[in-house]
Structure formats: structure tokens, C-alpha cells
Amino acid sequence: KRQKEGSSLSKEVFGYPISIFFIVVNEFCERFSYYGMRAVLVLYFTYFLRWDDDLATSIYHTFVALCYLTPILGAIVADSWLGKFKTIIYLSIVYAIGQVAMAVSAIHDITDTDGDGIPNNMSFHVALSMVGLFLIALGTGGIKPCVAAFGGDQFSDHQDKQRRTFFSVFYLCINGGSLLSTIITPILRAQECGIKSKESCYSLAFGVPAALMVVALLVFIVGSGMYYKDEPQGNIMLDVCKCIGFAIKNRFRHRSTRYPKRQHWMDWAEEKYDKLLIAQIKMVLKVLFLYIPLPMFWTLFDQKGSRWTLQATTMDGNFGALVIQPDQMQTVNPILILTLVPIMDIFIYPLIQKCGLNFTPLKRMTVGMFLAAIAFVCAALVQIEIDKTLPIFPSTSQSQLKLLNMGNNSVTVRLPGNDPQELPATTASLDYFTFESEQISVSIGSPEVTNTLSLPMGERQTLLIPSDLSDEWLQTDDLTAKPKQGNNACLKSITPIQDIQPNSVSMALQIPQYFFITAGEVMFSVTGLEFSYSQAPSNMKAVLQAGWLLTVAIGNFIVLIVAELAKLSKQWTEFVLFASLLVAVCFIFSIMAHFYTYMDPAEIEAQFKKKGDDDEDDKSKRQRPEVEMVKRCSVNSHKEDDKQTRI
């Protein structure tokens, strides 16, 4: 068809259409834009918008879920209405606007009227960022099913080898863009910028991905005259939904016992739809049934960018010559993917096969789910180590007090419910003292001087003990949360005294959990897509792709539900909860996999087509005697007419 239309695909470089180079560059820039923005997103929520960890996690996973719901919409629009090219152009514009909106929302100077670095109108920043995230989800999800397919359309039938190479380079660009962006954007975020005050530069961290998205759009438009642009030919997902809907409605209409039962509920669509289509839908539904437990894997997997990043903020990123930002730890995942995929394919799977073990795709997926559960057990163990180093802050019914001797002589301090404390000159107590009452009586020195102190509930304070006890005793407010960078919280002029100790648990302890979650991803995700495609009819690949993306979206919704409802006091218990849920789901999936019968869709389709051809032959044979009879009748009638004419 392309050759008949005389398209411009005849222009080639090294056997490849020139147009695909624009598509590859576009994909690299778009993936850099998406993963770069997403890498710093949860920290933007917690440190710029001042949300708590649970709300930040919920909104983060809502955004990721939308990114995996909108591809279904993008595929329908492209195949049924606009075509792939126009869909990519229009939604990329929406995408770029969303990225620019995110960059603008992170400029604190817009509403920082008093110059303290904190926006005075936080509602403006929240509203603009939510609009931006919605537009990004619509854009990135909408073009997701179109770009790769549009690239494949550029090749002619004789270019199968070049097409395969293109897809390899295409997915290499995805991982390359992801890897570079998760290294670069956290570095940009760690910079300080601002007019009235210098703060973490989230506007730059979002601005660079926005610029890359604009570049991606411009590059794609430049290649416009070289693309082959196929016309929309309808979307198979709509046909599938209509057929299923008709079968359900027809079955409901014939629910009475006087109607004979049919072998499968989809057979109730035979009155309107082709038997081959019905058989193909049955095969798809059989695979989709296996998808039911799968969202739980994505529930754990996508917490790399939320809970695990927040965990890294309470850890020490100093690796000697290299200092890692908390949001840069996510780079371990793409690095391990590029390493583990060839190792699995070249060494692990062949070795298992040589050992005589039948390591089927469904068994691989089961092991992948189990590895993800192990990753969260590792995360829980790391969290327990972190908790040992974190200060215990007062609850809403408690107050805490620290003592600081400002004089040149040691003093003895008596506090209610505690042993006498001996404080040397110019030193502070090692830790805070916790009290349940709002007022306490404090005695200092010899002879003793006693004062009554008022302590606010839920707060930390330091009592400054003057050298002359008859002078005023001052109380200063202290931090009630870990500093956002995890550094010492003390004034530079009082270097010997630490209010809150710096992070001491190394981020290197997160590497095992990243290894297990990535190994699980390789065995679960890559194998799952391979299995789905092998079990799907040739024209139903898109339906299963939509179903697969839907499991990712549901998995992210599960995270926000648990984060809002569980309200567990300790983070490590939440990690254990998720690991336990996945182990339970893994057990259920293994039972479902045990009873699953592998199919050959091509063979089943061939049988239906052959049966259809045989039916056509039988029909034509039945029609031949009728035709001969008609001919005889016609001849006899002509003879009778001749006789009548002669008479």
C-alpha cells in the first residue's frame, strides 16, 4: 500500500528510513522528560508543598496510575479518529504544557512575599502542579501506545531485520533516557536558586525535563514530511468490548431455563458476531483472568519512587568520593535492568533448562513476584536499622526539654522524675527529657534556685542556663522533625553541640532491595509480556497490552489505599505488610498457573478458518443441485412454450 501511494519512504540511510531517526530522538527526549520529572516528584511534594509522607505517596501513585490508564484512551483516539501522527502531535503539546506548568509551580518567589523561602500562597502552587500532572499523565500515557507503533509503520515489508533493530534501539533509548534523567535531575534539584531567598531548585529540576519535552516535540515535527502516515482503521478494543457487551446482554435476555445452555457465555454473541472473533476473545479472556492477581506486584514495584526515596532521605549518601542524593538511588534500577536482562537470557535460563527443569513463563512470573516480596523484607530490615538512629520526637501529649549550661562552671540540675544531672561548663545534656505535664519545677545549683517552666505539648525546647542563676531563664524552640537534608541541626557558632545527629545508615544498604526488585521485574514483567503475546491471537495484542497496563494502574491505586487506610505507626511494618500480601497473592497465582493450559492461538485460528472454508464448500455444494434444478425447469418451460407456439 505504501509503495502504491508513492510515499517518501524511499529515502533511506544505511537501509533505514530517515524518518525513524527523528522518532528515536523524540523517544529519548520524552523519556528523559518523564523520568526526570518523576524522579524528584515525591520530594517536591514533601519539601516544597510541605505534605506529609502519606499524602505525598498517595498523590504520587495516583499520578502514576493515571499515566497507565490514559494509554487505552490514546490507542482508541489514534486508531479510530486522528491517526497516530496527529495523536502524537496534539498530546505532545498537552504534555509540554503540563511540564512547563510543573516548572512554574516550583518557583517559590512567585508567592514568597516575605522572602523567607516558603510560598505564602501554597494553594496556587498546589493547584498549578496538579493541573500540570494531569496534563502530563494525559500526554505521556496518550502517546505511549502510538510512538513505537508509528515507528514500526515506517518500514516496508522487506525490512523486517531493520524493523527489529529499530525496536531494540527504541527500547535502549527508553532505558538510556531513564538512566540519565534520574542521575541529572536530582543534581539540579540539589542546587540552590531564587531571587529573594536561595532554596532547593525544584524549578530547574522540572524546567530541564520541560525543555527536553519541547525539543522532543520540535524534532518530531521536523520529520513530518518524511513519515508514512497510515489512516485510522478502527480499534480492535472497541470491537472486543462491543462483542462482550452483546454476549452479556443476550445471555441476560435468554436467562430463562427454557433456553438451552451454551458451552461458553461468549457463545451468546454468535447471533451477531463471527465465530472466529468470539474464539479469539475467549483466548484473550483466558489470559486476562490470569492478570487478576498481578496488580499486587506493581503495588510494591512502583514504591521505588515514593517510599524507598523517602527512606533514602533518612540515610547517608556519602560513598567517599561520591555523594548520592536520595532520589538518585533510583538509578540502580535501570543499571541493573541493562545488566540482568542479558545475564538471564544468556546464562540463567539456559542453565535451568540444561538441568532438566521446566521453568515455564508462569513459573518465572511466580518467582519474580516472590523476589519482589524479598525486596520489601530487605527494605523493612533497613528501616529497622534507620529507626535505631532516628530521634524519638514527643507525641501530642508529651513535651521534651534539653539542658544547655551557658556558664563557665558546672551545675547540678534536678528535674521531676529524673536523677540529678551534672552539667559541665558550656555543655548540653546528651539527650532530651520527656514530660507528660505542661508545667514542671526545675532546681539548679547549690544553693538551689527553683523555677517553674511551662512546656508546650508536642514540642521540643532547650533551657538556656545562665551563669548567674538569678538572671532570666530562656527557653528556645527546637526541631520536631528530621531536617530535610539529614544534616546536623545546630548553629555554626555552637559546633560541639548537636540538636539532631546526622544520618548515619549508609544508602548502600538499599542496594540489596533494588537488586531483588529489579530481578523480580526482569522475571515478572519481561516474561509476562512475552507470555501474553504468545497466548494472544494476532489481532488481539493491543487488547492484552491494554490489560497489562491496567494492572499497573490498579497496583498504584492499591498503594494509595493502603497508605491512607493502614496508618501504621512504623514504616517497617508497612513494608512487611506489603511483602506478606504479595506472598499470599503469589501463592494464589501459582495455583492459577498450575491449572492453566498453554494455547497455540495460530493453530486455533487456523482451525476456525479451515472450518469456515469447509462450511463455504458445503454451502456451495448444496446450492449446485438447486441451480441445476432451476436450469432444468427453465429448459422444460422453454420446451412447453415452443409446443404452445407451434399449436
Side-chain angles (χ1 to χ4, degrees):
K1 180 180 177 182
R2 288 195 291 268
Q3 292 172 352
K4 289 180 181 178
E5 292 175 353
S7 68
S8 59
L9 293 177
S10 56
K11 296 179 181 179
E12 297 181 356
V13 176
F14 303 114
Y16 294 87
I18 296 179
S19 56
I20 66 151
F21 295 101
F22 296 94
I23 297 173
V24 167
V25 174
N26 165 270
E27 182 66 14
F28 175 84
C29 293
E30 187 275 326
R31 289 291 87 186
F32 186 106
S33 176
Y34 173 74
Y35 283 109
M37 178 276 305
R38 182 172 149 177
V40 300
L41 186 59
V42 75
L43 297 187
Y44 168 75
F45 290 155
T46 53
Y47 298 141
F48 188 93
L49 298 183
R50 311 274 171 169
W51 290 348
D52 61 43
D53 290 356
D54 287 342
L55 180 58
T57 299
S58 297
I59 300 300
Y60 174 87
H61 286 284
T62 301
F63 166 70
V64 175
L66 287 176
C67 290
Y68 285 95
L69 282 177
T70 49
I72 301 173
L73 176 63
I76 293 174
V77 170
D79 292 342
S80 305
W81 181 28
L82 293 178
K84 298 184 188 72
F85 175 75
K86 289 183 179 179
T87 301
I88 295 171
I89 291 290
Y90 295 156
L91 290 181
S92 292
I93 294 173
V94 172
Y95 193 167
I97 294 172
Q99 290 282 30
V100 171
M102 283 298 298
V104 174
S105 75
I107 302 176
H108 65 273
D109 287 314
I110 295 177
T111 62
D112 183 15
T113 55
D114 52 11
D116 63 351
I118 301 175
N120 295 95
N121 185 4
M122 195 64 78
S123 299
F124 167 81
H125 297 273
V126 172
L128 189 58
S129 61
M130 292 303 100
V131 170
L133 288 177
F134 176 77
L135 295 178
I136 292 170
L138 185 62
T140 187
I143 68 174
K144 190 186 293 287
C146 301
V147 179
F150 186 71
D153 289 345
Q154 308 307 308
F155 294 89
S156 301
D157 293 338
H158 66 279
Q159 294 179 305
D160 287 339
K161 181 180 178 181
Q162 289 89 338
R163 185 186 287 110
R164 287 195 298 271
T165 305
F166 161 74
F167 282 118
S168 298
V169 174
F170 185 85
Y171 290 109
L172 182 63
C173 287
I174 293 176
N175 286 284
S178 168
L179 178 60
L180 287 178
S181 63
T182 47
I183 293 175
I184 294 173
T185 52
I187 296 176
L188 299 177
R189 174 198 59 78
Q191 307 303 310
E192 291 188 347
C193 61
I195 300 173
K196 300 175 182 177
S197 62
K198 300 296 183 181
E199 297 294 330
S200 294
C201 205
Y202 288 97
S203 56
L204 181 61
F206 289 143
V208 170
L212 264 292
M213 190 58 225
V214 173
V215 171
L217 175 59
L218 293 177
V219 168
F220 189 76
I221 292 175
V222 168
S224 175
M226 307 177 192
Y227 299 137
Y228 167 71
K229 303 163 188 173
D230 199 2
E231 294 296 323
Q233 299 174 351
N235 190 279
I236 188 64
M237 285 187 287
L238 294 178
D239 296 334
V240 171
C241 292
K242 289 177 181 178
C243 184
I244 293 175
F246 178 80
I248 295 173
K249 185 169 63 175
N250 198 31
R251 176 68 184 90
F252 182 76
R253 283 203 305 258
H254 298 82
R255 62 186 181 277
S256 175
T257 54
R258 68 175 183 271
Y259 295 105
K261 291 184 178 181
R262 301 189 182 183
Q263 187 176 4
H264 193 279
W265 62 270
M266 275 301 303
D267 293 334
W268 289 96
E270 290 180 350
E271 283 83 350
K272 185 176 180 181
Y273 291 91
D274 182 61
K275 289 186 177 181
L276 176 59
L277 176 63
I278 295 172
Q280 291 169 332
I281 293 175
K282 287 179 183 177
M283 288 185 274
V284 168
L285 292 176
K286 187 177 179 181
V287 178
L288 289 178
F289 177 72
L290 280 178
Y291 281 4
I292 294 175
L294 303 191
M296 201 63 217
F297 174 86
W298 301 113
T299 298
L300 276 68
F301 178 80
D302 280 329
Q303 290 189 61
K304 302 190 315 304
S306 57
R307 291 299 198 199
W308 287 12
T309 299
L310 293 172
Q311 183 186 63
T313 62
T314 60
M315 303 177 75
D316 181 14
N318 191 344
F319 285 78
L322 184 65
V323 177
I324 300 295
Q325 297 294 328
D327 33 4
Q328 281 182 317
M329 279 301 294
Q330 300 174 60
T331 58
V332 176
N333 177 248
I335 291 172
L336 287 174
I337 285 178
L338 296 174
T339 305
L340 290 177
V341 167
I343 290 177
M344 291 286 191
D345 289 338
I346 298 173
F347 299 106
I348 304 299
Y349 294 151
L351 181 62
I352 293 175
Q353 191 174 6
K354 285 183 179 180
C355 293
L357 299 175
N358 185 21
F359 201 36
T360 63
L362 293 180
K363 290 180 180 177
R364 294 183 196 175
M365 293 175 67
T366 305
V367 173
M369 296 169 79
F370 185 71
L371 290 175
I374 293 177
F376 265 64
V377 172
C378 293
L381 295 175
V382 171
Q383 189 63 47
I384 291 173
E385 290 300 312
I386 294 172
D387 290 346
K388 293 177 182 177
T389 67
L390 294 178
I392 301 175
F393 294 108
S395 65
T396 54
S397 61
Q398 294 176 328
S399 60
Q400 290 183 338
L401 184 69
K402 194 170 192 175
L403 305 174
L404 175 58
N405 184 5
M406 305 291 290
N408 296 322
N409 300 311
S410 63
V411 295
T412 301
V413 183
R414 289 177 174 81
L415 299 171
N418 293 275
D419 295 331
Q421 304 293 317
E422 187 72 24
L423 281 181
T426 64
T427 58
S429 57
L430 295 177
D431 209 340
Y432 283 84
F433 299 95
T434 303
F435 303 98
E436 304 291 337
S437 58
E438 294 185 7
Q439 290 189 334
I440 62 170
S441 180
V442 180
S443 301
I444 304 176
S446 179
E448 289 186 354
V449 177
T450 303
N451 276 339
T452 300
L453 303 182
S454 295
L455 302 178
M457 293 289 102
E459 299 293 333
R460 277 184 159 194
Q461 289 190 329
T462 296
L463 173 62
L464 304 181
I465 303 173
S467 56
D468 186 352
L469 296 178
S470 62
D471 292 341
E472 182 182 2
W473 296 7
L474 298 178
Q475 295 169 242
T476 62
D477 294 329
D478 296 341
L479 298 174
T480 54
K482 190 80 171 176
K484 62 182 181 180
Q485 300 300 337
N487 298 323
N488 295 355
C490 59
L491 298 176
K492 294 180 180 177
S493 59
I494 314 178
T495 52
I497 299 172
Q498 290 183 345
D499 187 359
I500 296 177
Q501 295 183 351
N503 297 338
S504 57
V505 179
S506 175
M507 285 186 195
L509 291 181
Q510 280 195 322
I511 293 177
Q513 65 200 58
Y514 272 99
F515 173 80
F516 282 113
I517 200 74
T518 307
E521 178 189 8
V522 172
M523 300 191 74
F524 178 87
S525 182
V526 177
T527 306
L529 285 171
E530 174 191 343
F531 163 78
S532 301
Y533 273 58
S534 69
Q535 297 296 288
S538 56
N539 63 336
M540 296 283 178
K541 310 292 186 186
V543 179
L544 281 185
Q545 178 71 11
W548 183 265
L549 295 175
L550 186 61
T551 65
V552 182
I554 295 173
N556 280 272
F557 281 128
I558 293 174
V559 179
L560 67 96
I561 292 172
V562 173
E564 289 298 321
L565 296 182
K567 298 294 184 183
L568 299 174
S569 58
K570 297 291 185 180
Q571 183 58 56
W572 69 267
T573 58
E574 185 179 289
F575 288 148
V576 172
L577 172 63
F578 280 119
S580 302
L581 290 174
L582 185 57
V583 169
V585 169
C586 181
F587 179 73
I588 295 171
F589 180 76
S590 64
I591 296 175
M592 296 170 64
H594 177 74
F595 291 99
Y596 181 83
T597 304
Y598 287 83
M599 305 176 294
D600 185 352
E603 182 179 343
I604 295 174
E605 287 176 323
Q607 292 175 355
F608 269 88
K609 290 176 181 177
K610 182 180 179 182
K611 184 178 180 181
D613 293 340
D614 293 342
D615 291 342
E616 288 293 328
D617 292 340
D618 293 340
K619 185 177 179 181
S620 61
K621 288 178 181 178
R622 287 195 301 270
Q623 288 176 345
R624 280 173 193 157
E626 296 175 1
V627 173
E628 292 175 359
M629 187 174 296
V630 170
K631 288 182 179 179
R632 292 194 197 101
C633 293
S634 177
V635 171
N636 292 336
S637 64
H638 280 301
K639 290 181 179 179
E640 292 294 330
D641 291 342
D642 289 343
K643 290 180 181 178
Q644 291 175 3
T645 303
R646 291 190 187 109
I647 292 172

